[in-house]
Amino acid sequence: MTTIRTATDPSRLRTALCAGTIVATLPYLALKIAWVAGSGIGVHGDGMHSGAMIGANLATVGMDAVAAVLALALARPWGRRIPGWLLVLPMFVATGLLAPIAFVAPVAAVVGAFTGGITSSDQGQDFIEGWVFAMVYGGFGLQAIGLVGGFVLHARERWAPVFALRLRDLPVGPADGVRRLVVVGVAALGLVPVAIQLCWAFGSHVLRPDDNRPDAQSLVVNGGYALLTVVGLVGIQALTWRRRDGRPARGALVAAWVGTGTSFGWGLFWLLASTVTTPLSRGEDMRGVAVVGGLLAVVGAVHATVLALLVVEAAGASDDRARRSGMIQA
């Protein structure tokens, strides 16, 4: 007997991707819970016992648990009953945090294998054993594939008109001029942290005198983050400065989503990390990290707001056109 899948039943591919995501979170969650419980597995010394590290580990346990819950929601029919913003907001942040890991970390790992480590500092390498980084970032890479893939399949089914948008379909109105002015001004601000990161990529220690990563690895990591930020800036510009462009908006939407999410997610993370002293950063001058993180967080937040308004308005206009077309045909 043939089983008929209804429109609300997730596909086998989406279910497999989301199940894989949940499985990929388990090693990380187990390791973090072990550290919180006092285990010293994979670390040297008792640095994990400090209040700052316990708090950081609890926070990251919560973040990865959210990823597992999101994957479960995307894999089950009841996920469609969750308000859209409650899925989109954490997915936006998750995409931003996972994108550099999926695109930059593999290259950095290869480079690090030839230059003496894949961590952000020699002190971090001395504190945490190498296999921990391999396990953690490998798991994050799998989560990036599974979680983002599952969300895309969910979104294509739930918000199909968004995937059919063309640049000319995006809303134009009295506020459009102000929106463009805001986007351009914030993009100009975003070029400041990009410039700083590119300086770090090419060996400068401006605002970060204690960075001791190998030059090749610094080029890959800092250059990769800067590139993703620029991708977001270009994507949001394409969405706000379209004219009568009939091209599909998917490319610009993806660029804006990934790049802006990276700016906001990692910018906020770096800003918070710069205020806390841990064995991974002890003794380092974190002012440059704070400056770059703060600027990127602001740029990401503003551009994400613009992106959300554009998509919501465009989707609403698309629904109105569909209803009017239905009334005329009736």
Side-chain angles (χ1 to χ4, degrees):
M1 183 175 66
T2 302
T3 301
I4 300 176
R5 187 176 64 86
T6 66
T8 58
D9 290 334
S11 67
R12 291 182 179 179
L13 175 59
R14 194 200 318 177
T15 300
L17 287 170
C18 293
T21 300
I22 294 172
V23 172
T25 66
L26 298 181
Y28 183 82
L29 289 173
L31 182 65
K32 290 286 185 169
I33 292 172
W35 285 346
V36 171
S39 172
I41 182 174
V43 299
H44 304 289
D46 58 356
M48 285 296 177
H49 300 161
S50 68
M53 287 306 299
I54 291 175
N57 286 328
L58 286 172
T60 50
V61 164
M63 292 169 64
D64 221 37
V66 168
V69 172
L70 277 174
L72 182 62
L74 295 173
R76 305 304 304 158
W78 52 261
R80 287 180 60 88
R81 298 195 293 270
I82 298 176
W85 68 268
L86 199 55
L87 282 177
V88 170
L89 181 58
M91 271 305 310
F92 172 74
V93 177
T95 302
L97 291 174
L98 291 171
I101 295 173
F103 295 116
V104 179
V107 181
V110 173
V111 172
F114 294 97
T115 57
I118 61 173
T119 68
S120 61
S121 68
D122 290 339
Q123 188 173 16
Q125 181 68 42
D126 292 340
F127 176 54
I128 298 179
E129 294 181 11
W131 67 264
V132 174
F133 289 99
M135 184 192 76
V136 167
Y137 283 97
F140 283 159
L142 293 175
Q143 288 180 50
I145 295 170
L147 191 60
V148 174
F151 177 71
V152 169
L153 294 175
H154 175 94
R156 287 187 64 179
E157 179 184 291
R158 185 170 179 177
W159 300 296
V162 174
F163 288 81
L165 286 175
R166 297 186 177 274
L167 290 172
R168 66 188 176 201
D169 297 330
L170 296 170
V172 177
D176 203 45
V178 176
R179 182 156 43 207
R180 290 176 179 175
L181 183 63
V182 169
V183 166
V184 170
V186 174
L189 180 65
L191 292 177
V192 175
V194 168
I196 295 174
Q197 287 178 306
L198 288 177
C199 287
W200 293 344
F202 288 99
S204 172
H205 292 278
V206 59
L207 296 178
R208 198 173 182 184
D210 302 319
D211 186 11
N212 55 8
R213 281 175 295 190
D215 290 343
Q217 188 183 356
S218 183
L219 175 64
V220 172
V221 174
N222 290 310
Y225 278 104
L227 178 61
L228 284 170
T229 300
V230 171
V231 165
L233 298 180
V234 171
I236 199 72
Q237 295 294 325
L239 293 173
T240 52
W241 286 91
R242 74 280 164 200
R243 296 293 182 181
R244 296 184 179 277
D245 198 325
R247 290 177 298 172
R250 289 191 299 271
L253 286 170
V254 170
W257 174 274
V258 174
T260 300
T262 299
S263 297
F264 177 74
W266 281 99
L268 187 59
F269 175 80
W270 288 329
L271 181 61
L272 295 175
S274 68
T275 66
V276 180
T277 300
T278 70
L280 293 173
S281 63
R282 185 177 299 147
E284 290 189 13
D285 187 340
M286 301 294 286
R287 288 175 297 176
V289 176
V291 170
V292 168
L295 290 174
L296 287 177
V298 170
V299 171
V302 175
H303 280 175
T305 302
V306 172
L307 176 62
L309 292 174
L310 281 171
V311 172
V312 169
E313 291 176 26
S318 177
D319 288 342
D320 289 341
R321 287 193 298 269
R323 282 195 295 269
R324 287 196 298 267
S325 176
M327 291 174 63
I328 291 173
Q329 292 176 0

